[in-house]
Amino acid sequence: MPQNKHQNNDSHHVPVLLDEVLECLNPQKGEAYLDLTAGYGGHAGAILEQTGNPDETVLVDRDENAVRELKKRFGDTVSIRRQDFLSAAQELAGEQERFDMILADLGVSSPHLNEANRGFALQLEGPLDMRMDSSQDLRAETIVNTYKEAELADLLWKYGEEPKARQIARLITGNRPFTTTTELAAVVARAWPGRSRVHPATRTFQALRIAVNDELQLLEHGLPVWLGLLKPGGRIAVISFHSLEDGIVKRLLAEAAGDRYDAELKLLTKRPITASPQELVFNPRARSAKLRAAVKINKEREASNAY
Ligand SMILES: C[S@@+](CC[C@H](N)C(=O)[O-])C[C@H]1O[C@@H](n2cnc3c(N)ncnc32)[C@H](O)[C@@H]1O
């Protein structure tokens, strides 16, 4: 198979929109970098190569396998934290840390999707788990087997935008208990007879994953804290993989970049950047990726320009 610059032989995860992230973050020698979802270090490795500044590099991930791989790859040259990105950012803010570049590449990694025992993939038989942080209590199994029908329907509608949320919630409560991903996917598929381009349980699995990992709440509360960690002139880039996430990123960045005289940010992307056809050949996971970026306004420079 031909090699491509987007491929990364050190991990099973190929970083998405790598060139575009580098263009938006524009790393300079000696700059400080915070990666809030460092995963297998694809983006972080490329950025570190350009900053050459491991002492001021912080890599965060809530998944223990990812953190183990990050430690193998970077040793203790950089600071690696196993935490969710909201509490990590709150702690860093308390420690008065500030960064020139911040990246959040949201969602799951390829190992999450490829390893059946993590329970994220609807076509691989595995336990109904879906936890990114395997030390947390809530698993998909608890939601599927214990939530009331109305609660389940709300969750499928809110986090999966599933038009047949009620019908699927009824099918789930009527066919309990479930132990595996494939059992659940087969029952959900009954709500959507006939052929479809995507598996009929895709939206249900997305909704469960978002609920198990509290993904939208953490993003909603995390992003404003991240902005506070940027130095003046610092750049932030966020990659999202579905419309619910992208909606939050778009709204919060736009609010901080609003027309007010005291706006905190300037948007670097008016519309989200998506993957090129070349990247999609090597990395189909990039299909739904959307990148938005902004720069923290340097008030001192703005003021000195004004006079
Ligand atoms: C798409 S992968 C990132 C891949 C990474 N950019 C790379 O190049 O290898 C997303 C990672 O974010 C982590 N993650 C997702 N939500 C998180 C959160 N709220 N806090 C910390 N890590 C999170 C996941 O465990 C996963 O490893």
Side-chain angles (χ1 to χ4, degrees):
M1 183 149 163
Q3 285 289 302
N4 176 282
K5 65 182 168 180
H6 297 290
Q7 288 181 298
N8 179 354
N9 294 327
D10 297 331
S11 77
H12 351 261
H13 182 92
V14 183
V16 303
L17 296 169
L18 180 57
D19 290 343
E20 294 81 356
V21 164
L22 290 173
E23 201 171 308
C24 290
L25 291 181
N26 189 19
Q28 303 296 313
K29 268 252 146 328
E31 284 193 324
Y33 173 58
L34 170 62
D35 193 323
L36 292 156
T37 55
Y40 291 77
H43 291 104
I47 288 167
L48 251 174
E49 242 173 62
Q50 300 196 17
T51 64
N53 187 11
D55 290 347
E56 288 183 276
T57 297
V58 179
L59 309 183
V60 177
D61 204 290
R62 77 206 300 205
D63 180 282
E64 68 177 339
N65 295 345
V67 165
R68 192 178 326 107
E69 291 301 315
L70 289 170
K71 287 188 172 153
K72 264 199 231 157
R73 179 163 180 178
F74 299 104
D76 45 19
T77 56
V78 302
S79 158
I80 298 175
R81 295 177 175 230
R82 181 179 172 202
Q83 258 179 320
D84 76 74
F85 53 47
L86 171 60
S87 32
Q90 286 168 331
E91 276 185 26
L92 290 162
E95 293 159 17
Q96 306 300 324
E97 297 284 350
R98 295 294 179 267
F99 299 89
D100 299 289
M101 293 168 292
I102 298 180
L103 173 65
D105 173 16
L106 302 170
V108 286
S109 61
S110 300
H112 284 144
L113 297 172
N114 298 341
E115 288 166 17
N117 68 345
R118 301 300 299 265
F120 287 98
L122 55 85
Q123 271 146 338
L124 298 178
E125 181 168 5
L128 281 166
D129 189 316
M130 300 195 194
R131 292 168 303 167
M132 292 185 198
D133 172 358
S134 44
S135 67
Q136 84 173 36
D137 289 334
L138 182 66
R139 299 164 198 242
E141 190 178 3
T142 315
I143 298 177
V144 169
N145 288 330
T146 68
Y147 278 28
K148 294 197 181 90
E149 186 179 317
E151 255 181 308
L152 261 180
D154 278 356
L155 185 150
L156 296 177
W157 173 248
K158 206 161 91 187
Y159 296 149
E161 299 177 296
E162 171 55 69
K164 296 200 180 182
R166 284 185 191 289
Q167 190 183 338
I168 293 173
R170 200 167 320 123
L171 276 169
I172 292 177
T173 50
N175 287 279
R176 285 170 168 167
F178 291 89
T179 49
T180 66
T181 46
T182 42
E183 274 169 17
L184 176 65
V187 168
V188 172
R190 290 193 216 149
W192 290 98
R195 287 177 157 271
S196 63
R197 202 172 48 83
V198 291
H199 190 290
T202 304
R203 287 178 294 270
T204 296
F205 272 60
Q206 173 185 304
L208 290 170
R209 194 198 99 189
I210 290 176
V212 168
N213 297 291
D214 200 15
E215 291 179 40
L216 301 184
Q217 293 296 324
L218 288 173
L219 176 60
E220 181 86 40
H221 292 107
L223 207 150
V225 186
W226 307 345
L227 298 183
L229 291 172
L230 281 175
K231 294 182 187 176
R235 289 82 64 203
I236 181 164
V238 184
I239 304 173
S240 59
F241 289 86
H242 55 76
S243 58
L244 297 171
E245 270 174 356
D246 183 55
I248 295 175
V249 176
K250 179 180 174 187
R251 171 170 50 78
L252 293 178
L253 290 184
E255 277 171 18
D259 285 337
R260 308 182 326 260
Y261 71 95
D262 60 344
E264 192 183 357
L265 288 184
K266 185 168 170 230
L267 298 182
L268 293 171
T269 50
K270 289 246 154 38
R271 289 157 191 274
I273 297 174
T274 54
S276 65
Q278 294 88 318
E279 175 168 3
L280 292 179
V281 172
F282 286 93
N283 198 3
R285 210 176 57 80
R287 199 180 41 241
S288 45
K290 288 197 170 128
L291 167 65
R292 294 184 187 271
V295 55
K296 180 119 166 190
I297 289 173
N298 186 342
K299 296 243 163 71
E300 279 160 37
R301 192 178 314 142
E302 298 268 308
S304 68
N305 286 346
Y307 294 104

